[in-house]
């Protein structure tokens, strides 16, 4: 009997990460980059941090809005950021002893300034400071869709507000070495979660039990959240792209699709593997699996700066994967399989699991992306997706999730371990 408990404990020994892997100087540099753009535009930028009330539905704990966090590293609720060409202001809510009784002492204006921002003011100073700065500026940038900026609209009246996406998103798309290390950590912990699931999965188990095994690994390692609700689909559920009820009992002879990953120190991972529950793919499952893997490998081999994730563009990675799928294998009716690849090929990953970066944009060195083709055949109850994370480099790409096997035989060999 393989000492399963030790195997699982060994997998769990992923080192915990420092609370914030990004140094204060890097946040300062990010703001400096934005302020350089503000100088060119003669503009100010206003960002609203997430508030305790909007996140405090008792189901999830507070977490900061990603763009606000990117520019400040600030993790407390109710803050506001004002950047100008020459200055920076963090506005914080005053002390609220009633709230503090529930969620603890918050940093308040007047505390010794450890925020890394030049000016920390009480939130009630926002309006007057904003108008002083606006007098010297021509434009206002804010995140219209993300922030609740109706109060900002009220303040600015007819003055148009432009989307700050064009200022912030290009910066977020190029990951720094510290960000890459943070993402790699989230990937490593999530890989350990997948390996734990491979040892656990067995006929008779419920999907939520596999999900629990996986989330436990990354919560044990100190990660704050799942990057997205765990997708654990057995048999027919493997064909539902974002299936997350996870309440079905799995059976021998079926595949199990697991699209599960953790968010650690605010950075997301996103990994999918599909395994045979009884340890060995059927001939048909293996055929479909190998087509998805072939398509993924073809696309990964082509990743380099200038290529694009989108479908209908020049230099399309999606087309490489689609053409592979559409020219290998057949449906039960003898049709090509392309029509069963029903989603995008990949996306950027970072502070958000779907990080900024339009699929039509040419990739650049420093992007972190997923490549995740799939084939989903409801009439056969077979869904296969294989999703890996890559760092785009000057000449190609580095696979960040290489430590998790995807070759069908390697997966079967790993599953074989659990029987010993
Ligand atoms: N897990 C969501 C996605 O793969 O995009
Ligand atoms: Mn993905
Ligand atoms: Mn995914």
């Amino acid at each position: 009997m393989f000492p399963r408990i030790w195997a699982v404990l060994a997998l769990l020994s992923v080192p915990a990460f420092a609370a914030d892997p990004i140094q204060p100087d890097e946040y300062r540099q990010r703001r400096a980059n934005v302020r350089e753009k503000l100088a060119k535009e003669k503009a100010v930028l206003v960002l609203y941090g997430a508030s305790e009330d909007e996140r405090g539905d008792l189901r999830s704990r507070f977490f900061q809005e990603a763009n606000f966090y990117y520019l400040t590293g600030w993790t407390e609720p109710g803050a506001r950021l004002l950047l100008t060409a020459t200055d920076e202001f963090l506005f914080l809510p005053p002390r609220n002893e009633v709230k503090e009784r529930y969620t603890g002492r918050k940093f308040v204006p007047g505390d010794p300034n450890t925020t890394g921002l030049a000016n920390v003011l009480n939130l009630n100073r926002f309006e007057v400071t904003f108008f002083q700065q606006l007098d010297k500026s021509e434009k206002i940038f804010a995140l219209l869709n993300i922030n609740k900026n109706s109060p900002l609209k009220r303040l600015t009246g007819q003055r148009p507000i432009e989307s700050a996406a064009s200022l912030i998103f290009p910066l977020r798309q190029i990951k720094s070495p510290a960000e890459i290390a943070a993402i790699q950590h989230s990937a490593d912990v999530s890989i350990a979660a997948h390996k734990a699931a491979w040892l656990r999965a067995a006929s008779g188990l419920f999907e939520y039990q596999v999900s629990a095994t996986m989330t436990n690994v990354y919560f044990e390692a100190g990660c704050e959240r799942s990057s997205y609700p765990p997708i654990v689909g057995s048999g027919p559920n493997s064909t539902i792209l974002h299936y997350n009820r996870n309440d079905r009992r799995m059976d021998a002879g079926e595949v199990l699709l697991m699209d599960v990953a953790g968010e650690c120190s605010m950075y997301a991972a996103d990994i999918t593997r599909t395994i045979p529950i009884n340890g060995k793919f059927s001939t048909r499952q293996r055929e479909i699996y190998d087509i998805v893997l072939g398509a993924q490998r073809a696309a990964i081999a082509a990743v380099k700066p200038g290529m694009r994730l989108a479908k209908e563009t020049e230099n399309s990675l999606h087309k490489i994967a689609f053409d592979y799928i559409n020219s290998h294998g057949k449906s039960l009716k003898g049709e090509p399989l392309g029509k069963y690849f029903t989603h995008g090929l990949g996306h950027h990953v970072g502070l958000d699991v779907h990080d900024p970066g339009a699929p039509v944009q040419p990739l650049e060195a420093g992007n972190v992306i997923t490549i995740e083709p799939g084939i989903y055949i409801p009439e056969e109850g077979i869904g296969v997706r294989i999703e890996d994370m890559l760092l785009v480099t000057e000449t190609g790409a580095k696979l960040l999730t290489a430590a998790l096997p995807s070759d069908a035989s390697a997966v079967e060999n790993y599953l074989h371990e659990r029987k010993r």
Side-chain angles (χ1 to χ4, degrees):
M1 181 76 187
F2 187 71
R4 183 184 291 190
I5 186 69
W6 293 114
V8 172
L9 286 176
L11 292 166
L12 294 181
S13 64
V14 180
F17 216 71
D20 190 346
I22 310 298
Q23 297 300 309
D25 271 352
E26 185 165 335
Y27 290 112
R28 238 173 252 132
Q29 186 57 50
R30 293 172 183 178
R31 292 193 296 275
N33 292 343
V34 169
R35 281 165 48 190
E36 213 172 283
K37 297 188 189 189
L38 291 173
K40 285 195 195 114
E41 301 270 358
K42 293 195 173 48
V44 298
L45 166 72
V46 178
L47 286 190
Y48 283 60
S51 75
E52 221 162 8
D53 304 331
E54 69 191 332
R55 301 277 200 223
D57 67 354
L58 302 186
R59 288 191 183 83
S60 68
R61 70 189 201 202
F62 172 82
F63 62 98
Q64 190 56 280
E65 193 279 314
N67 296 286
F68 199 93
Y69 183 77
Y70 180 78
L71 291 180
T72 62
W74 194 249
T75 54
E76 295 192 356
R80 218 167 286 175
L81 177 70
L82 173 63
L83 293 184
T84 74
T86 54
D87 219 341
E88 56 179 28
F89 303 86
L90 181 67
F91 297 90
L92 300 177
R95 237 172 138 197
N96 181 333
E97 289 183 15
V98 175
K99 271 192 182 164
E100 284 187 1
R101 246 177 270 143
Y102 286 87
T103 53
R105 172 83 160 88
K106 301 293 184 316
F107 188 97
V108 288
D111 285 346
N113 187 357
T114 53
T115 66
L117 275 102
N119 304 292
V120 180
L121 300 178
N122 192 308
L123 200 52
N124 65 17
R125 303 284 304 153
F126 174 74
E127 274 189 35
V128 65
T129 317
F130 173 63
F131 281 117
Q132 276 166 1
Q133 299 300 326
L134 205 53
D135 276 347
K136 299 181 251 171
S137 314
E138 289 173 9
K139 285 187 190 171
I140 306 161
F141 283 96
L143 281 170
L144 301 170
N145 298 326
I146 297 169
N147 291 143
K148 296 212 177 325
N149 56 7
S150 48
L152 188 63
K153 278 238 162 72
R154 258 203 312 281
L155 285 183
T156 53
Q158 294 307 308
R159 262 180 106 142
I161 301 174
E162 290 187 34
S163 170
S166 61
L167 301 182
I168 303 172
F169 289 5
L171 300 174
R172 283 182 60 188
Q173 283 166 39
I174 307 293
K175 271 60 180 180
S176 71
E179 288 186 289
I180 292 163
I183 293 168
Q184 182 70 66
H185 177 72
S186 298
D188 289 345
V189 174
S190 303
I191 285 169
H194 278 263
K195 288 182 171 173
W198 293 8
L199 295 177
R200 178 107 206 267
S203 69
L205 223 56
F206 283 86
E207 294 159 344
Y208 56 75
Q209 292 177 284
V210 172
S211 172
T213 295
M214 300 182 85
T215 54
N216 187 56
V217 173
Y218 49 78
F219 290 136
E220 277 269 355
C223 303
E224 321 73 88
R225 281 174 289 282
S226 295
S227 301
Y228 47 89
I231 298 163
V232 181
S234 60
N237 293 338
S238 65
T239 68
I240 304 170
L241 303 184
H242 281 181
Y243 169 79
N244 55 27
R245 289 176 59 97
N246 302 348
D247 60 359
R248 179 178 178 275
R249 222 178 69 150
M250 57 193 79
D251 228 330
E254 297 172 347
V255 295
L256 180 64
L257 185 154
M258 291 162 287
D259 184 349
V260 182
E263 182 181 310
C264 320
S265 300
M266 301 294 278
Y267 284 86
D270 189 4
I271 302 175
T272 308
R273 287 292 185 271
T274 308
I275 65 167
I277 288 163
N278 61 6
K280 192 152 175 47
F281 289 110
S282 71
T283 307
R284 178 61 168 164
Q285 289 165 352
R286 173 79 186 240
E287 183 192 5
I288 300 298
Y289 187 94
D290 282 341
I291 294 169
V292 175
L293 187 64
Q296 195 210 28
R297 287 186 171 160
I300 287 175
V303 171
K304 62 176 184 186
M307 297 299 287
R308 302 165 204 250
L309 290 164
K311 203 171 182 176
E312 315 281 348
T313 56
E314 259 180 277
N315 298 336
S316 165
L317 293 166
H318 192 287
K319 183 172 183 337
I320 292 171
F322 179 87
D323 288 350
Y324 188 99
I325 289 172
N326 212 36
S327 60
H328 288 76
K330 291 276 186 288
S331 74
L332 292 179
K333 286 192 199 144
E335 309 151 316
L337 292 174
K339 69 169 186 173
Y340 296 96
F341 173 24
T342 47
H343 55 74
L345 180 67
H347 51 85
H348 292 244
V349 186
L351 289 171
D352 290 308
V353 66
H354 290 177
D355 224 36
V360 292
Q361 267 179 261
L363 294 174
E364 294 175 82
N367 294 162
V368 173
I369 58 167
T370 65
I371 296 289
E372 49 177 307
I375 296 177
Y376 312 91
I377 314 178
E379 59 271 27
E380 297 186 56
I382 301 176
V384 174
R385 176 160 69 253
I386 307 170
E387 176 172 30
D388 281 286
M389 299 168 64
L390 294 93
L391 169 66
V392 181
T393 63
E394 296 293 341
T395 52
K398 179 183 173 214
L399 194 56
L400 302 178
T401 42
L404 188 63
S406 54
D407 176 82
S409 301
V411 171
E412 288 180 346
N413 288 341
Y414 198 97
L415 295 173
H416 189 68
E417 286 296 306
R418 64 190 178 178
K419 300 217 180 73
R420 284 205 272 127

